[in-house]
Amino acid sequence: SLAEKLIEVAPAGLSRVFYADNGSSAVEVALKMSFHYWRNQGQPARTRFIALSGGYHGETIGALSVTDVALYRTTYAPLLFAPILAPSPDAYLGEIGESASDHAARRLLDMRALLQRHAHEVAAIIIEPLVQCAGGMRMHHADYVRGLRALCDEFAVHLIADEIAVGFGRTGTLFACEQAAITPDFLCLSKGLTGGTLPLSAVLTNDAVHAAFYAEYSAGKAFLHSHSYTGNALACRAALETLAIFSEQPVLASNQTLSAHLGERLAALADHANVADVRQTGMIAAIELVRDRRTREEFPAAERRGMRVYLHGLERGVILRPLGNVVYFMPPYCVSTAEIDLMVEAAIEGIERAVA
Ligand SMILES: *Cc1c(COP(=O)(O)O)cnc(C)c1O
């Protein structure tokens, strides 16, 4: 039942569902399935993956290999495989005066150059569409995702969309890929899949991938990835209930009102001397704290300015988990406008104390 429901709401063309029990496992499944697809197709040389700088895909060995967040990765680097890293389309990293869309176009040129050199040995490109979350809530233009789909088609490389954090309404649409009007070859889902209540993940893929594994037993083409709690029935029931809430209640419409409210409240920080960027995609908003907004000079990490905002938040009854010097909001969809006001007020007070 859940597989049928997921296929109904997912981007067109995703027609097959493979279950796992957490986000990192879903990423492992997508990486292994892509590699194995090419092997079954007689292309065993495709053993590498392209990942984006600043990306986060989980903390098991394979998922951590394609993750580029030093905090999680550095210690284990000797154990990990090396992906081909492409520069992030993060709009904040664009040239002064360059639009997010122009920056995306420039980063797509880098990706084209990488593919020209490496496509023959690449199985898939993995990205977090629209927002690189754990890496600092770094946001890019939907044009990047659209352009990446076109490049993957041109060079015959899979596209893995890791929507574990951004899926299920977080960016304003049910799935982030919808904003680029594309269908990935693999869509990784978890977190919001059960409304955060029970551990479950799913990897959606298409008929072509499924067909590459469909053969007589003796051909040995099957995909073996069999964790004990894969597709746990209770967790699937929770996911069905979550999807029912999306169809019975105006969750996405209500998120639009709430995220507009959040954006209005955050406008107060736009000209702050220690804020270089206030960015928002749907129900994710982030504030980039810097020593000097004109030069974007960063606060040294050791000063832990974000931590000071967090400690002030606790005093006000608000959890403001920082990512280094980035203060962010990712509220549950049941948040009220009054709670958003409290949340932003606590953050602004906390920022004043943190930069003093
Ligand atoms: C959280 C997350 C993961 C890992 O999920 P876990 O369930 O914590 O293993 C993978 N990718 C993204 C984008 C995430 O945000």
Side-chain angles (χ1 to χ4, degrees):
S1 300
L2 179 58
E4 285 169 5
K5 272 273 176 261
L6 284 171
I7 282 161
E8 231 176 83
V9 298
L14 294 170
S15 52
R16 302 284 170 172
V17 179
F18 192 96
Y19 291 111
D21 47 13
N22 63 77
S24 300
S25 286
V27 170
E28 301 287 342
V29 166
L31 298 174
K32 285 173 68 180
M33 205 184 278
S34 172
F35 159 81
H36 198 160
Y37 166 90
W38 292 113
R39 194 181 169 82
N40 282 352
Q41 296 290 91
Q43 296 198 48
R46 292 187 183 250
T47 57
R48 303 194 68 189
F49 297 92
I50 298 180
L52 297 188
S53 59
Y56 178 91
H57 299 288
E59 291 163 43
T60 50
I61 300 293
L64 191 56
S65 292
V66 290
T67 287
D68 181 47
V69 180
L71 178 66
Y72 304 109
R73 195 181 198 281
T74 307
T75 307
Y76 306 102
L79 300 179
L80 308 176
F81 66 74
I84 298 160
L85 264 195
S88 171
D90 175 6
Y92 182 69
L93 298 177
E95 307 282 343
I96 303 294
E98 185 180 40
S99 72
S101 170
D102 287 346
H103 186 231
R106 202 151 56 81
R107 297 282 82 111
L108 285 167
L109 291 177
D110 298 330
M111 186 61 90
R112 170 177 289 282
L114 280 181
L115 285 167
Q116 276 162 347
R117 211 160 353 123
H118 293 287
H120 65 283
E121 56 172 340
V122 169
I125 299 176
I126 182 165
I127 62 155
E128 294 165 87
L130 299 188
V131 188
Q132 296 184 294
C133 291
M137 301 299 163
R138 315 232 148 253
M139 301 177 185
H140 54 259
H141 198 278
D143 280 354
Y144 185 78
V145 182
R146 211 178 346 263
L148 205 55
R149 175 70 273 180
L151 284 173
C152 285
D153 289 340
E154 184 182 336
F155 288 90
V157 161
H158 285 144
L159 178 61
I160 303 173
D162 176 353
E163 293 217 20
I164 290 165
V166 296
F168 297 102
R170 186 50 68 181
T171 64
T173 42
L174 192 59
F175 300 109
C177 283
E178 291 171 32
Q179 294 184 44
I182 63 115
T183 301
D185 299 290
F186 298 92
L187 177 66
C188 299
L189 303 173
S190 189
K191 294 191 171 126
L193 174 57
T194 61
T197 56
L198 283 171
L200 181 69
S201 63
V203 180
L204 276 57
T205 188
N206 54 44
D207 282 341
V209 170
H210 176 263
F213 293 89
Y214 192 78
E216 290 303 324
Y217 178 77
S218 55
K221 287 189 167 182
F223 183 68
L224 299 178
H225 189 98
S226 48
H227 290 297
S228 302
Y229 288 106
T230 289
N232 177 269
L234 268 180
C236 288
R237 195 70 196 84
L240 275 168
E241 214 45 54
T242 303
L243 288 173
I245 291 170
F246 272 104
S247 65
E248 288 159 15
Q249 296 178 29
V251 181
L252 295 176
S254 140
N255 278 1
Q256 264 171 28
T257 312
L258 292 167
S259 60
H261 185 82
L262 176 57
E264 282 163 24
R265 286 294 175 271
L266 284 174
L269 280 169
D271 300 320
H272 195 286
N274 296 103
V275 173
D277 193 30
V278 179
R279 50 183 177 261
Q280 185 178 9
T281 302
M283 291 285 270
I284 307 174
I287 301 155
E288 188 91 31
L289 294 185
V290 290
R291 172 161 282 159
D292 182 344
R293 80 177 258 120
R294 286 160 311 166
T295 60
R296 292 187 168 186
E297 185 197 343
E298 290 176 27
F299 283 119
E303 291 177 8
R304 305 197 70 186
R305 304 277 176 160
M307 177 74 166
R308 300 186 205 176
V309 182
Y310 165 76
L311 290 173
H312 178 75
L314 287 187
E315 281 174 32
R316 296 291 314 269
V318 179
I319 297 175
L320 294 168
R321 175 202 182 211
L323 295 166
N325 291 325
V326 174
V327 177
Y328 77 91
F329 303 101
M330 206 161 173
Y333 304 161
C334 57
V335 72
S336 68
T337 51
E339 285 165 334
I340 288 174
D341 292 347
L342 168 66
M343 198 167 93
V344 174
E345 198 181 289
I348 293 175
E349 290 169 6
I351 288 167
E352 290 308 340
R353 283 166 172 74
V355 301

Short mmCIF file of all heavy atoms in Angstrom, two decimals, residues 34-91:
data_model
loop_
_atom_site.label_atom_id
_atom_site.label_comp_id
_atom_site.label_asym_id
_atom_site.label_seq_id
_atom_site.Cartn_x
_atom_site.Cartn_y
_atom_site.Cartn_z
N SER A 34 22.80 1.88 -8.20
CA SER A 34 23.28 2.54 -9.41
C SER A 34 24.51 1.81 -9.95
O SER A 34 24.57 1.44 -11.14
CB SER A 34 23.61 4.00 -9.13
OG SER A 34 24.23 4.58 -10.26
N PHE A 35 25.48 1.58 -9.08
CA PHE A 35 26.69 0.84 -9.48
C PHE A 35 26.33 -0.52 -10.08
O PHE A 35 26.83 -0.92 -11.12
CB PHE A 35 27.60 0.66 -8.25
CG PHE A 35 28.58 -0.46 -8.40
CD1 PHE A 35 29.76 -0.29 -9.11
CD2 PHE A 35 28.31 -1.72 -7.85
CE1 PHE A 35 30.66 -1.35 -9.28
CE2 PHE A 35 29.20 -2.77 -8.01
CZ PHE A 35 30.38 -2.58 -8.72
N HIS A 36 25.42 -1.23 -9.40
CA HIS A 36 25.04 -2.60 -9.79
C HIS A 36 24.27 -2.59 -11.11
O HIS A 36 24.40 -3.49 -11.93
CB HIS A 36 24.20 -3.19 -8.65
CG HIS A 36 24.10 -4.68 -8.68
ND1 HIS A 36 23.75 -5.41 -7.57
CD2 HIS A 36 24.25 -5.59 -9.68
CE1 HIS A 36 23.72 -6.70 -7.88
NE2 HIS A 36 24.01 -6.84 -9.16
N TYR A 37 23.46 -1.54 -11.32
CA TYR A 37 22.75 -1.39 -12.59
C TYR A 37 23.75 -1.39 -13.74
O TYR A 37 23.61 -2.13 -14.71
CB TYR A 37 21.95 -0.08 -12.60
CG TYR A 37 21.45 0.32 -13.99
CD1 TYR A 37 20.20 -0.11 -14.44
CD2 TYR A 37 22.22 1.12 -14.83
CE1 TYR A 37 19.75 0.24 -15.72
CE2 TYR A 37 21.78 1.47 -16.10
CZ TYR A 37 20.55 1.03 -16.53
OH TYR A 37 20.11 1.38 -17.78
N TRP A 38 24.78 -0.55 -13.64
CA TRP A 38 25.76 -0.44 -14.73
C TRP A 38 26.50 -1.76 -14.92
O TRP A 38 26.79 -2.17 -16.04
CB TRP A 38 26.74 0.71 -14.45
CG TRP A 38 26.07 2.05 -14.53
CD1 TRP A 38 25.85 2.93 -13.51
CD2 TRP A 38 25.50 2.66 -15.71
NE1 TRP A 38 25.19 4.05 -13.96
CE2 TRP A 38 24.96 3.91 -15.31
CE3 TRP A 38 25.39 2.29 -17.05
CZ2 TRP A 38 24.32 4.78 -16.19
CZ3 TRP A 38 24.76 3.14 -17.94
CH2 TRP A 38 24.23 4.38 -17.50
N ARG A 39 26.80 -2.43 -13.82
CA ARG A 39 27.47 -3.73 -13.88
C ARG A 39 26.60 -4.74 -14.63
O ARG A 39 27.07 -5.44 -15.52
CB ARG A 39 27.73 -4.18 -12.45
CG ARG A 39 28.68 -5.31 -12.32
CD ARG A 39 28.85 -5.69 -10.84
NE ARG A 39 29.57 -6.93 -10.76
CZ ARG A 39 30.90 -7.01 -10.84
NH1 ARG A 39 31.62 -5.91 -10.93
NH2 ARG A 39 31.49 -8.18 -10.82
N ASN A 40 25.29 -4.76 -14.27
CA ASN A 40 24.36 -5.68 -14.95
C ASN A 40 24.20 -5.31 -16.42
O ASN A 40 23.82 -6.15 -17.24
CB ASN A 40 22.99 -5.67 -14.26
CG ASN A 40 22.99 -6.51 -12.98
OD1 ASN A 40 23.96 -7.20 -12.68
ND2 ASN A 40 21.90 -6.43 -12.23
N GLN A 41 24.47 -4.05 -16.75
CA GLN A 41 24.36 -3.60 -18.15
C GLN A 41 25.67 -3.80 -18.91
O GLN A 41 25.82 -3.29 -20.02
CB GLN A 41 24.03 -2.09 -18.20
CG GLN A 41 22.68 -1.70 -17.61
CD GLN A 41 21.53 -2.19 -18.47
OE1 GLN A 41 21.02 -3.29 -18.24
NE2 GLN A 41 21.13 -1.42 -19.45
N GLY A 42 26.64 -4.46 -18.29
CA GLY A 42 27.91 -4.70 -18.95
C GLY A 42 28.86 -3.52 -18.91
O GLY A 42 29.74 -3.38 -19.76
N GLN A 43 28.67 -2.61 -17.92
CA GLN A 43 29.58 -1.47 -17.79
C GLN A 43 30.19 -1.42 -16.38
O GLN A 43 29.93 -0.50 -15.60
CB GLN A 43 28.83 -0.16 -18.06
CG GLN A 43 28.31 -0.06 -19.49
CD GLN A 43 27.96 1.37 -19.85
OE1 GLN A 43 28.74 2.29 -19.61
NE2 GLN A 43 26.79 1.56 -20.40
N PRO A 44 31.01 -2.42 -16.03
CA PRO A 44 31.55 -2.51 -14.67
C PRO A 44 32.57 -1.42 -14.34
O PRO A 44 32.97 -1.31 -13.18
CB PRO A 44 32.18 -3.91 -14.64
CG PRO A 44 32.55 -4.19 -16.07
CD PRO A 44 31.48 -3.52 -16.89
N ALA A 45 33.01 -0.66 -15.34
CA ALA A 45 34.01 0.39 -15.07
C ALA A 45 33.40 1.60 -14.38
O ALA A 45 34.11 2.48 -13.89
CB ALA A 45 34.68 0.82 -16.38
N ARG A 46 32.07 1.63 -14.33
CA ARG A 46 31.42 2.78 -13.68
C ARG A 46 31.37 2.54 -12.17
O ARG A 46 30.39 2.00 -11.64
CB ARG A 46 30.03 2.98 -14.24
CG ARG A 46 30.03 3.44 -15.70
CD ARG A 46 28.61 3.78 -16.06
NE ARG A 46 28.43 4.16 -17.45
CZ ARG A 46 28.15 5.41 -17.83
NH1 ARG A 46 28.03 6.37 -16.93
NH2 ARG A 46 27.96 5.67 -19.10
N THR A 47 32.46 2.90 -11.51
CA THR A 47 32.60 2.60 -10.08
C THR A 47 32.65 3.86 -9.23
O THR A 47 32.82 3.79 -8.02
CB THR A 47 33.91 1.83 -9.83
OG1 THR A 47 35.00 2.63 -10.32
CG2 THR A 47 33.91 0.49 -10.54
N ARG A 48 32.52 5.06 -9.86
CA ARG A 48 32.71 6.29 -9.09
C ARG A 48 31.42 7.12 -9.01
O ARG A 48 30.48 6.92 -9.78
CB ARG A 48 33.84 7.12 -9.70
CG ARG A 48 35.15 6.32 -9.76
CD ARG A 48 36.32 7.20 -10.04
NE ARG A 48 36.60 8.09 -8.91
CZ ARG A 48 37.48 9.10 -8.95
NH1 ARG A 48 38.14 9.36 -10.08
NH2 ARG A 48 37.71 9.84 -7.89
N PHE A 49 31.42 8.06 -8.08
CA PHE A 49 30.27 8.94 -7.89
C PHE A 49 30.74 10.39 -7.87
O PHE A 49 31.85 10.68 -7.40
CB PHE A 49 29.55 8.61 -6.58
CG PHE A 49 28.98 7.23 -6.58
CD1 PHE A 49 29.72 6.16 -6.08
CD2 PHE A 49 27.73 6.98 -7.12
CE1 PHE A 49 29.22 4.86 -6.12
CE2 PHE A 49 27.22 5.69 -7.17
CZ PHE A 49 27.97 4.63 -6.66
N ILE A 50 29.90 11.28 -8.39
CA ILE A 50 30.18 12.71 -8.27
C ILE A 50 29.29 13.26 -7.16
O ILE A 50 28.08 12.99 -7.14
CB ILE A 50 29.90 13.45 -9.60
CG1 ILE A 50 30.82 12.91 -10.72
CG2 ILE A 50 30.09 14.95 -9.42
CD1 ILE A 50 30.62 13.58 -12.08
N ALA A 51 29.90 13.99 -6.23
CA ALA A 51 29.15 14.61 -5.13
C ALA A 51 29.50 16.10 -5.11
O ALA A 51 30.48 16.53 -5.72
CB ALA A 51 29.54 13.95 -3.82
N LEU A 52 28.68 16.88 -4.40
CA LEU A 52 28.91 18.33 -4.33
C LEU A 52 29.66 18.71 -3.06
O LEU A 52 29.45 18.10 -2.01
CB LEU A 52 27.59 19.09 -4.35
CG LEU A 52 26.71 18.95 -5.59
CD1 LEU A 52 25.53 19.93 -5.50
CD2 LEU A 52 27.51 19.20 -6.86
N SER A 53 30.51 19.72 -3.18
CA SER A 53 31.17 20.21 -1.97
C SER A 53 30.09 20.73 -1.01
O SER A 53 29.07 21.29 -1.44
CB SER A 53 32.19 21.30 -2.31
OG SER A 53 31.56 22.37 -2.95
N GLY A 54 30.28 20.48 0.25
CA GLY A 54 29.31 20.92 1.26
C GLY A 54 28.10 20.02 1.39
O GLY A 54 27.20 20.28 2.19
N GLY A 55 28.07 18.91 0.64
CA GLY A 55 26.91 18.01 0.71
C GLY A 55 26.95 17.10 1.93
O GLY A 55 28.03 16.82 2.48
N TYR A 56 25.79 16.65 2.36
CA TYR A 56 25.67 15.71 3.49
C TYR A 56 24.72 14.59 3.10
O TYR A 56 23.59 14.86 2.67
CB TYR A 56 25.14 16.43 4.74
CG TYR A 56 24.97 15.48 5.91
CD1 TYR A 56 25.99 15.28 6.83
CD2 TYR A 56 23.77 14.77 6.09
CE1 TYR A 56 25.84 14.40 7.89
CE2 TYR A 56 23.62 13.88 7.14
CZ TYR A 56 24.65 13.71 8.04
OH TYR A 56 24.49 12.82 9.08
N HIS A 57 25.17 13.34 3.25
CA HIS A 57 24.32 12.23 2.85
C HIS A 57 24.24 11.14 3.90
O HIS A 57 23.76 10.04 3.62
CB HIS A 57 24.78 11.67 1.51
CG HIS A 57 24.73 12.68 0.41
ND1 HIS A 57 23.53 13.12 -0.14
CD2 HIS A 57 25.69 13.41 -0.21
CE1 HIS A 57 23.78 14.04 -1.07
NE2 HIS A 57 25.08 14.24 -1.12
N GLY A 58 24.73 11.39 5.12
CA GLY A 58 24.64 10.39 6.17
C GLY A 58 26.01 9.97 6.65
O GLY A 58 27.04 10.47 6.16
N GLU A 59 26.05 9.03 7.59
CA GLU A 59 27.31 8.77 8.29
C GLU A 59 27.76 7.31 8.29
O GLU A 59 28.70 6.95 8.98
CB GLU A 59 27.21 9.34 9.70
CG GLU A 59 27.19 10.87 9.65
CD GLU A 59 26.69 11.51 10.93
OE1 GLU A 59 27.08 11.07 12.01
OE2 GLU A 59 25.89 12.47 10.83
N THR A 60 27.09 6.43 7.52
CA THR A 60 27.65 5.10 7.32
C THR A 60 28.76 5.26 6.28
O THR A 60 28.89 6.32 5.65
CB THR A 60 26.57 4.11 6.84
OG1 THR A 60 25.88 4.70 5.74
CG2 THR A 60 25.57 3.82 7.95
N ILE A 61 29.56 4.21 6.08
CA ILE A 61 30.79 4.38 5.29
C ILE A 61 30.55 4.91 3.87
O ILE A 61 31.23 5.83 3.43
CB ILE A 61 31.59 3.05 5.25
CG1 ILE A 61 31.96 2.60 6.68
CG2 ILE A 61 32.84 3.17 4.39
CD1 ILE A 61 32.95 3.50 7.39
N GLY A 62 29.57 4.33 3.17
CA GLY A 62 29.31 4.80 1.81
C GLY A 62 28.72 6.19 1.79
O GLY A 62 29.13 7.06 1.01
N ALA A 63 27.71 6.42 2.64
CA ALA A 63 27.05 7.73 2.69
C ALA A 63 28.03 8.81 3.14
O ALA A 63 28.01 9.94 2.61
CB ALA A 63 25.85 7.66 3.65
N LEU A 64 28.91 8.46 4.06
CA LEU A 64 29.91 9.43 4.54
C LEU A 64 30.96 9.70 3.45
O LEU A 64 31.50 10.80 3.36
CB LEU A 64 30.58 8.89 5.81
CG LEU A 64 31.47 9.86 6.61
CD1 LEU A 64 30.70 11.12 7.01
CD2 LEU A 64 32.03 9.17 7.85
N SER A 65 31.21 8.70 2.61
CA SER A 65 32.17 8.88 1.52
C SER A 65 31.72 10.01 0.59
O SER A 65 32.53 10.79 0.11
CB SER A 65 32.33 7.59 0.72
OG SER A 65 32.98 6.60 1.50
N VAL A 66 30.42 10.10 0.31
CA VAL A 66 29.92 11.14 -0.60
C VAL A 66 29.50 12.41 0.15
O VAL A 66 28.93 13.33 -0.43
CB VAL A 66 28.77 10.62 -1.50
CG1 VAL A 66 29.30 9.62 -2.52
CG2 VAL A 66 27.64 10.00 -0.68
N THR A 67 29.78 12.44 1.46
CA THR A 67 29.51 13.62 2.28
C THR A 67 30.75 14.50 2.30
O THR A 67 31.87 14.00 2.37
CB THR A 67 29.16 13.18 3.72
OG1 THR A 67 27.86 12.60 3.71
CG2 THR A 67 29.19 14.33 4.71
N ASP A 68 30.54 15.83 2.22
CA ASP A 68 31.69 16.74 2.28
C ASP A 68 31.50 17.75 3.41
O ASP A 68 31.46 18.95 3.17
CB ASP A 68 31.88 17.44 0.92
CG ASP A 68 33.09 18.39 0.93
OD1 ASP A 68 34.16 17.96 1.40
OD2 ASP A 68 32.94 19.55 0.49
N VAL A 69 31.32 17.26 4.61
CA VAL A 69 31.26 18.14 5.78
C VAL A 69 32.38 17.64 6.70
O VAL A 69 32.31 16.52 7.23
CB VAL A 69 29.89 18.08 6.49
CG1 VAL A 69 29.87 19.00 7.70
CG2 VAL A 69 28.76 18.45 5.52
N ALA A 70 33.42 18.46 6.85
CA ALA A 70 34.65 18.04 7.52
C ALA A 70 34.38 17.47 8.92
O ALA A 70 34.96 16.46 9.32
CB ALA A 70 35.63 19.21 7.60
N LEU A 71 33.47 18.13 9.66
CA LEU A 71 33.17 17.73 11.03
C LEU A 71 32.86 16.23 11.14
O LEU A 71 33.29 15.57 12.07
CB LEU A 71 31.96 18.55 11.52
CG LEU A 71 31.43 18.26 12.91
CD1 LEU A 71 32.45 18.65 13.97
CD2 LEU A 71 30.12 19.03 13.14
N TYR A 72 32.12 15.72 10.16
CA TYR A 72 31.72 14.31 10.20
C TYR A 72 32.72 13.40 9.50
O TYR A 72 32.83 12.22 9.82
CB TYR A 72 30.35 14.12 9.54
CG TYR A 72 29.27 14.98 10.14
CD1 TYR A 72 28.74 16.06 9.46
CD2 TYR A 72 28.80 14.70 11.43
CE1 TYR A 72 27.75 16.84 10.02
CE2 TYR A 72 27.80 15.49 12.00
CZ TYR A 72 27.28 16.57 11.29
OH TYR A 72 26.32 17.34 11.85
N ARG A 73 33.42 13.95 8.49
CA ARG A 73 34.17 13.11 7.56
C ARG A 73 35.64 12.92 7.89
O ARG A 73 36.18 11.80 7.75
CB ARG A 73 34.05 13.71 6.16
CG ARG A 73 34.46 12.75 5.05
CD ARG A 73 34.34 13.42 3.68
NE ARG A 73 34.31 12.46 2.60
CZ ARG A 73 35.37 11.85 2.12
NH1 ARG A 73 36.57 12.10 2.62
NH2 ARG A 73 35.27 10.98 1.13
N THR A 74 36.31 14.00 8.33
CA THR A 74 37.78 14.01 8.39
C THR A 74 38.36 12.81 9.14
O THR A 74 39.26 12.13 8.65
CB THR A 74 38.26 15.33 9.02
OG1 THR A 74 37.65 16.39 8.27
CG2 THR A 74 39.76 15.47 8.95
N THR A 75 37.84 12.52 10.32
CA THR A 75 38.38 11.44 11.15
C THR A 75 38.39 10.11 10.42
O THR A 75 39.32 9.32 10.56
CB THR A 75 37.51 11.29 12.43
OG1 THR A 75 37.42 12.56 13.05
CG2 THR A 75 38.11 10.27 13.39
N TYR A 76 37.34 9.87 9.64
CA TYR A 76 37.17 8.55 9.00
C TYR A 76 37.70 8.51 7.58
O TYR A 76 37.58 7.47 6.92
CB TYR A 76 35.69 8.16 9.04
CG TYR A 76 35.13 8.22 10.43
CD1 TYR A 76 34.36 9.30 10.85
CD2 TYR A 76 35.45 7.23 11.36
CE1 TYR A 76 33.90 9.38 12.15
CE2 TYR A 76 35.00 7.31 12.67
CZ TYR A 76 34.22 8.39 13.06
OH TYR A 76 33.78 8.46 14.34
N ALA A 77 38.28 9.63 7.11
CA ALA A 77 38.69 9.72 5.70
C ALA A 77 39.50 8.50 5.23
O ALA A 77 39.29 8.02 4.12
CB ALA A 77 39.45 11.02 5.45
N PRO A 78 40.42 7.96 6.07
CA PRO A 78 41.19 6.80 5.59
C PRO A 78 40.33 5.57 5.28
O PRO A 78 40.77 4.67 4.58
CB PRO A 78 42.15 6.50 6.75
CG PRO A 78 42.25 7.79 7.50
CD PRO A 78 40.90 8.43 7.38
N LEU A 79 39.10 5.53 5.79
CA LEU A 79 38.23 4.37 5.56
C LEU A 79 37.34 4.55 4.34
O LEU A 79 36.66 3.61 3.92
CB LEU A 79 37.29 4.17 6.76
CG LEU A 79 37.91 3.90 8.13
CD1 LEU A 79 36.81 3.76 9.17
CD2 LEU A 79 38.74 2.63 8.07
N LEU A 80 37.28 5.76 3.79
CA LEU A 80 36.23 6.09 2.82
C LEU A 80 36.72 6.04 1.38
O LEU A 80 37.91 6.19 1.12
CB LEU A 80 35.70 7.50 3.12
CG LEU A 80 35.26 7.72 4.57
CD1 LEU A 80 34.85 9.17 4.78
CD2 LEU A 80 34.11 6.79 4.95
N PHE A 81 35.79 5.85 0.42
CA PHE A 81 36.16 5.97 -1.00
C PHE A 81 36.07 7.44 -1.37
O PHE A 81 35.38 8.23 -0.72
CB PHE A 81 35.32 5.06 -1.89
CG PHE A 81 33.85 5.39 -1.98
CD1 PHE A 81 33.39 6.48 -2.72
CD2 PHE A 81 32.90 4.58 -1.35
CE1 PHE A 81 32.03 6.76 -2.84
CE2 PHE A 81 31.54 4.85 -1.45
CZ PHE A 81 31.11 5.95 -2.19
N ALA A 82 36.81 7.80 -2.41
CA ALA A 82 36.90 9.22 -2.81
C ALA A 82 35.94 9.52 -3.95
O ALA A 82 36.09 8.99 -5.04
CB ALA A 82 38.32 9.54 -3.24
N PRO A 83 34.94 10.37 -3.71
CA PRO A 83 34.06 10.77 -4.81
C PRO A 83 34.78 11.85 -5.64
O PRO A 83 35.81 12.37 -5.21
CB PRO A 83 32.86 11.37 -4.10
CG PRO A 83 33.41 11.92 -2.83
CD PRO A 83 34.57 11.03 -2.45
N ILE A 84 34.24 12.14 -6.80
CA ILE A 84 34.71 13.28 -7.57
C ILE A 84 33.88 14.46 -7.06
O ILE A 84 32.66 14.43 -7.13
CB ILE A 84 34.47 13.05 -9.08
CG1 ILE A 84 35.28 11.83 -9.54
CG2 ILE A 84 34.82 14.29 -9.88
CD1 ILE A 84 34.78 11.21 -10.84
N LEU A 85 34.55 15.46 -6.50
CA LEU A 85 33.81 16.58 -5.88
C LEU A 85 33.61 17.71 -6.89
O LEU A 85 34.57 18.18 -7.50
CB LEU A 85 34.58 17.13 -4.69
CG LEU A 85 34.25 16.66 -3.28
CD1 LEU A 85 34.87 17.61 -2.26
CD2 LEU A 85 32.74 16.52 -3.02
N ALA A 86 32.37 18.14 -7.04
CA ALA A 86 32.06 19.30 -7.89
C ALA A 86 31.76 20.48 -6.98
O ALA A 86 31.20 20.29 -5.89
CB ALA A 86 30.86 18.98 -8.78
N PRO A 87 32.11 21.70 -7.38
CA PRO A 87 31.84 22.85 -6.51
C PRO A 87 30.34 23.06 -6.31
O PRO A 87 29.54 22.84 -7.22
CB PRO A 87 32.49 24.02 -7.24
CG PRO A 87 32.79 23.56 -8.61
CD PRO A 87 32.82 22.07 -8.61
N SER A 88 29.98 23.48 -5.11
CA SER A 88 28.57 23.68 -4.76
C SER A 88 27.97 24.87 -5.51
O SER A 88 28.63 25.89 -5.68
CB SER A 88 28.44 23.93 -3.27
OG SER A 88 27.12 24.33 -2.95
N PRO A 89 26.71 24.75 -5.94
CA PRO A 89 26.03 25.88 -6.57
C PRO A 89 25.47 26.89 -5.54
O PRO A 89 24.77 27.84 -5.93
CB PRO A 89 24.88 25.21 -7.33
CG PRO A 89 24.59 23.97 -6.54
CD PRO A 89 25.90 23.51 -5.96
N ASP A 90 25.77 26.68 -4.26
CA ASP A 90 25.35 27.57 -3.17
C ASP A 90 25.35 29.05 -3.62
O ASP A 90 26.40 29.59 -3.97
CB ASP A 90 26.34 27.36 -2.01
CG ASP A 90 26.11 28.31 -0.85
OD1 ASP A 90 25.12 29.06 -0.87
OD2 ASP A 90 26.94 28.29 0.09
N ALA A 91 24.17 29.66 -3.60
CA ALA A 91 24.04 31.04 -4.11
C ALA A 91 24.91 32.02 -3.33
O ALA A 91 25.38 33.02 -3.87
CB ALA A 91 22.57 31.47 -4.06
#
